[in-house]
Structure formats: structure tokens, C-alpha cells
Amino acid sequence: MEVVTRFFGGFGRHVLTSLDQLGRVTNLARESFYWILVAPWKGRRIRWRSTIEQMVVIGYNSIPIVTTIAFFVGLIIAMQSAYQLQQFGATIFVANLVAVSVLRELSPLLTAIVVTGRSGSAIAAEIGTMKVSEEIDALKTMGFNPVQFLVVPKTLALLVMLPALTIIADFVGVLGGYVISMATLNVTSARYINQTMDALVFKDLFSGLVKSFFFALIIAKIGSYEGFNVEGGAEGVGKSTTRAVVASIFLIIAADVFFTALFFSSL
């Protein structure tokens, strides 16, 4: 009986803690959207200079790693699918498989995971370091709102740059499949391109961009939340950064499952 009590007691505490954290993240998101959508109409400017700087750090500087991974993923999908489709003399459908899988799933998902590891962790570490060094309190003392000053530029940068990176990854991933097909399969360039265009519909691109938009929100909010809740000095910053990456990746995959079911449940 005591074991059962401890089990359900621990489970209940975890549920309550999770709900409390969800409420705090929701409040942070609500406040962020206030400063993005409402406050500018009341004369409170968005820090566009800082936003552009964050776009460069989060987006432009991520292009090399995102394109490299997307190209290799396109290569891998093409090689694996060709191995199976050759048995049926249907290697031309490699183009279909690569294009659809990259645009619908792999490009937005892998891009978000890469940006989480690269920029989501940096957001948590930056805000967390400011928290333990009492710079957040200094901002409040000087009359600055920490959400407006720190979170809004990062959120706007992610909302713009993550879909842009996803589009780049779409193209590069398909290019990877094209390169393998030209090098190893008996498929002409024109036929491969036509097959790719025939396989894709607008919903494939649109669904990937919608996913990347919500992935950007997850990365920005979780990273910021963990940064604001750092405790315990440098060790706390490290733990918070780890939690931000793990939680963001988990929520990104969960969101991916939801939107995949939403867009393609009729298939």
C-alpha cells in the first residue's frame, strides 16, 4: 500500500509540476506576442536592430550546417530507396520518395533540431547567464521589460529564419537525391526533374513551412523559459541549457506528429 501511495504521489507531483511549467511557458508566449503585435501600436518599438542581429546569428550562420545535413540526408534517402526500388524496376520513383519525404518531414524536422542544438541552447545559456549575474534585475531597475528586450528579438528572428532555412534545406535535400540518381541510376536529368515536379503539390511545401513556424515558437519559448528559471550559478546554466534542448526536441517531434496527422490524415 505504501509503494502504491508513493507511486501515485510522485506521479501526481510530476503532473502538477508539468502543468505549472506549461502555464509559465504559455504566459511567456502570451507576453511575447503582446510586445510583438499590440505594443507597437501603443508606441513601444520593437528592437529591429537586435532582431536583425539575431537573424544573422540564428539564420545566416546556420546555413552551412543545415545545408550540409540536408544534402547528406537527400543522398541517404536516394541510396536506400534505390536499393529497394531497383528490385521492381521502378528507380524513377526515387525522385518521388526523396521530394515528398524531404519537403513534408525531414527538412523541417531536421532543420528545427539543428537550430535547437545550435541556437536554442544559446538562448537558454545567454538569458541564464544574465539571470545568475543579476543583469535581468538590472534591466528591470532601468525600466526595461526583459521579455521585450531579450525574448522578442529572438522570437522574431526564429519565426523568420527557421522557415527560410527550411526552404533552403528543401532545395538542397532534393538536390542530394538528384546527384545520387544522376551518378548511379539510369535516369536522365530532365526525367528526374519532371518526376519530382509531378510528385509534389503545394500542400507538401505549405505543411513543412507551417511546421517550421511552430517549431520556431517552441525553440524560442522553451529556450527563454529555461533561461529565466536558472538557479545555482554556472552549474544551473548548464542544466538549464540541457533541459532546453531536450524539451525542445521532444516538443518538436510531438508537434511534428500532430501536424502530420492534421495535414495528411486523409491519406
Side-chain angles (χ1 to χ4, degrees), residues 52-73:
I52 293 172
E53 291 174 354
Q54 290 296 322
M55 287 181 181
V56 173
V57 173
I58 293 172
Y60 179 79
N61 292 346
S62 297
I63 291 177
I65 183 64
V66 168
T67 53
T68 301
I69 290 176
F71 184 75
F72 286 150
V73 167

Side-chain angles (χ1 to χ4, degrees), residues 77-98 185:
I77 296 173
M79 287 188 289
Q80 293 288 357
S81 58
Y83 176 76
Q84 295 296 325
L85 292 172
Q86 279 179 335
Q87 303 177 45
F88 306 99
T91 54
I92 186 59
F93 291 106
V94 168
N96 300 57
L97 195 150
V98 170
L185 304 178

Side-chain angles (χ1 to χ4, degrees), residues 143-232:
F144 293 104
N145 184 290
V147 174
Q148 179 198 17
F149 194 83
L150 298 173
V151 179
V152 169
K154 294 175 173 58
T155 301
L156 286 173
L158 277 164
L159 290 175
V160 173
M161 298 310 296
L162 192 60
L165 287 171
T166 299
I167 293 175
I168 294 172
D170 288 341
F171 175 78
V172 176
V174 172
L175 178 63
Y178 172 85
V179 169
I180 283 294
S181 298
M182 294 302 99
T184 62
L185 304 178
N186 188 23
V187 179
T188 64
S189 177
R191 190 180 180 197
Y192 187 94
I193 294 172
N194 289 334
Q195 190 73 18
T196 299
M197 298 302 294
D198 291 340
L200 295 175
V201 294
F202 177 74
K203 185 168 72 170
D204 297 327
L205 176 62
F206 178 74
S207 64
L209 293 179
V210 170
K211 288 179 182 180
S212 66
F213 179 85
F214 283 94
F215 294 166
L217 287 178
I218 291 171
I219 297 169
K221 297 308 126 191
I222 297 299
S224 301
Y225 170 79
E226 292 294 348
F228 281 124
N229 287 276
V230 167
E231 295 179 353

Side-chain angles (χ1 to χ4, degrees), residues 130-149:
M130 295 180 70
K131 173 73 180 299
V132 299
S133 62
E134 299 182 350
E135 292 181 52
I136 301 293
D137 295 332
L139 286 175
K140 294 178 181 178
T141 302
M142 291 186 293
F144 293 104
N145 184 290
V147 174
Q148 179 198 17
F149 194 83

